[in-house]
Amino acid sequence: MSGKIKERRKELGITVQELADKAEVSKGLISQIENSRTIPSLMVLMDIIKSLEIDLNSFFKDINFHKKMLLCW
């Protein structure tokens, strides 16, 4: 998931700060998410996906969730 966010941000040619501004979260949070240091809440994730102009189905396609991640939700 973090890789998809970072990859899409770079495809769009926007900075971490620009994505943070669009998603209305901190630059630090985006950085932590992109570097797999934290898992965003569902609402924050939705805001990020919307800011990256990605279709929800496309974003979640081919993402492999680990059992540990599923237990956190």
Side-chain angles (χ1 to χ4, degrees):
M1 176 171 54
S2 59
K4 281 192 166 200
I5 292 170
K6 189 173 193 172
E7 180 181 326
R8 179 63 178 158
R9 178 180 61 76
K10 288 185 174 190
E11 283 175 6
L12 293 174
I14 61 175
T15 65
V16 171
Q17 184 63 61
E18 290 169 326
L19 176 56
D21 291 345
K22 284 184 174 189
E24 299 181 355
V25 296
S26 71
K27 177 181 173 181
L29 180 59
I30 296 293
S31 178
Q32 289 178 343
I33 293 167
E34 285 190 353
N35 292 300
S36 300
R37 291 190 194 124
T38 192
I39 298 171
S41 69
L42 183 57
M43 293 306 296
V44 168
L45 181 59
M46 299 290 285
D47 289 339
I48 291 169
I49 292 170
K50 181 179 175 185
S51 298
L52 292 171
E53 303 167 9
I54 304 173
D55 174 69
L56 275 177
N57 292 327
S58 297
F59 183 82
F60 288 107
K61 183 180 176 188
D62 300 326
I63 289 184
N64 294 318
F65 290 99
H66 299 284
K67 287 181 182 179
K68 184 177 178 182
M69 283 182 63
L70 291 175
L71 292 175
C72 293
W73 292 91

